[in-house]
Amino acid sequence: MLIREAAAEDWPRIWPFWHRIVAAAESYAWDPETTEEAARDLWMGPAKRVYVAEDESGTVVGSAYLTANYGGPAARVANAGFMVDPDRSGRGIGRALAGHLLAEARAHGFRAMVFNAVVETNPAVGLWASLGFTILGTVPEAFDHPRHGRVGLHIMYRALD
């Protein structure tokens, strides 16, 4: 698998799984009816470093972004978002993207990474924990999950030093 910085022309290859994941309303606190234009701005905005994972055939099977979570004196705390094509889940793509982004975050001077809203029923919670993230707290019943009802949103953290 190749992980590389995304280019603008990668967006049409990201959008189909981005849309599918957000429209399912199970793992992202973004409007399930987000338009493609708004989605591109959310995912590939100018403050973000965006990456794609390609399989051996050159198909984009996942994407992630890295950005500062805060500004000013707290700008060395990163935030990231990850999406893997649901048809490719369970193949280590998320773990590979996470490893890549953790290394990129360190290389760009970030001292820590925080996820602001991890849906507590998201299987990725286990992945993040296995990579050293801890749950700082949970906002109870903050997310209306289509199958599980009201569930919490975790705030997860990892130092990068």
Side-chain angles (χ1 to χ4, degrees):
M1 176 178 358
L2 170 69
I3 298 175
R4 61 170 176 80
E5 279 200 57
E9 55 269 16
D10 288 314
W11 176 250
R13 300 184 321 155
I14 297 168
W15 165 247
F17 61 83
W18 193 103
H19 176 66
R20 185 174 165 197
I21 291 166
V22 173
E26 293 186 355
S27 57
Y28 270 88
W30 289 335
D31 183 350
E33 296 183 24
T34 301
T35 65
E36 183 175 0
E37 181 179 346
R40 185 179 51 247
D41 291 344
L42 278 169
W43 198 256
M44 298 189 68
K48 295 178 177 170
R49 288 183 164 85
V50 182
Y51 303 86
V52 292
E54 293 180 334
D55 67 11
E56 58 284 344
S57 71
T59 300
V60 173
V61 295
S63 182
Y65 69 77
L66 177 67
T67 192
N69 194 62
Y70 310 109
R76 293 293 168 207
V77 176
N79 176 257
F82 297 84
M83 288 195 186
V84 173
D85 182 336
D87 293 334
R88 309 295 180 108
S89 64
R91 299 181 188 180
I93 298 164
R95 182 172 295 277
L97 278 166
H100 186 81
L101 256 64
L102 288 168
E104 286 290 304
R106 282 186 205 95
H108 291 290
F110 290 105
R111 295 187 298 255
M113 187 175 287
V114 67
F115 300 139
N116 302 306
V118 181
V119 178
E120 68 183 353
T121 56
N122 187 334
V125 171
L127 170 62
W128 306 135
S130 76
L131 293 171
F133 284 84
T134 59
I135 297 170
L136 296 179
T138 303
V139 182
E141 298 186 351
F143 188 88
D144 291 326
H145 195 284
R147 290 183 295 121
H148 302 294
R150 292 182 192 156
V151 299
L153 289 173
H154 294 318
I155 300 161
M156 299 187 78
Y157 167 85
R158 178 186 163 168
L160 299 176
D161 299 325

